[in-house]
Amino acid sequence: MNKGKQLETLVHFATSIGCHVSLVPLQYNDGRVKGKRIGIRATMSIDEYVHNIAHELAHIYLHTGEVDMNDKEKEAQAEGVANLIEGILEKC
Ligand SMILES: [Zn+2]
């Protein structure tokens, strides 16, 4: 699956679970999650959009309401899931 289709698939999936993905002028982060709203830094490549939407979806699935895990552990988990999702989408 090409990157454009991967991006479309992730945004469609996010929408299907009630999330809203938007491009925002973030300065210090590539992406952020607030509730079910995903903000992705607007000035990235399509490859980076795919990776960061997958990363933020992982945070929603794994870390919503999670208070015992530190930020470093959360980031490592989200990166692992994002890499897994990208690998799967590459094979589709
Ligand atoms: Zn993160």
Side-chain angles (χ1 to χ4, degrees), residues 3 6-7 10 46-54 86:
K3 285 292 177 182
Q6 290 177 31
L7 178 59
L10 283 175
I46 193 166
D47 289 20
E48 292 170 317
Y49 287 149
V50 168
H51 181 83
N52 284 294
I53 292 169
E86 280 187 286

Side-chain angles (χ1 to χ4, degrees), residues 31 52 55-56 59 63 71 74-76 78-79:
N52 284 294
H55 177 105
E56 300 306 336
H59 277 308
H63 305 137
D71 287 347
K74 289 179 181 176
E75 290 308 313
E79 277 300 292

Side-chain angles (χ1 to χ4, degrees), residues 26-58:
L26 295 174
Q27 285 188 310
Y28 303 110
N29 298 316
D30 290 337
R32 294 194 67 177
V33 170
K34 201 168 203 176
K36 286 200 154 193
R37 294 169 41 154
I38 297 172
I40 299 295
R41 184 163 52 82
T43 56
M44 291 192 289
S45 70
I46 193 166
D47 289 20
E48 292 170 317
Y49 287 149
V50 168
H51 181 83
N52 284 294
I53 292 169
H55 177 105
E56 300 306 336
L57 283 168

Side-chain angles (χ1 to χ4, degrees), residues 1-14 46-47 49-51 53-54 57 85-86 88-92:
M1 186 183 293
N2 68 40
K3 285 292 177 182
K5 186 68 179 168
Q6 290 177 31
L7 178 59
E8 181 184 336
T9 298
L10 283 175
V11 171
H12 185 264
F13 175 75
I46 193 166
D47 289 20
Y49 287 149
V50 168
H51 181 83
I53 292 169
L57 283 168
I85 290 170
E86 280 187 286
I88 291 169
L89 291 174
E90 289 287 336
K91 302 286 185 196
C92 291

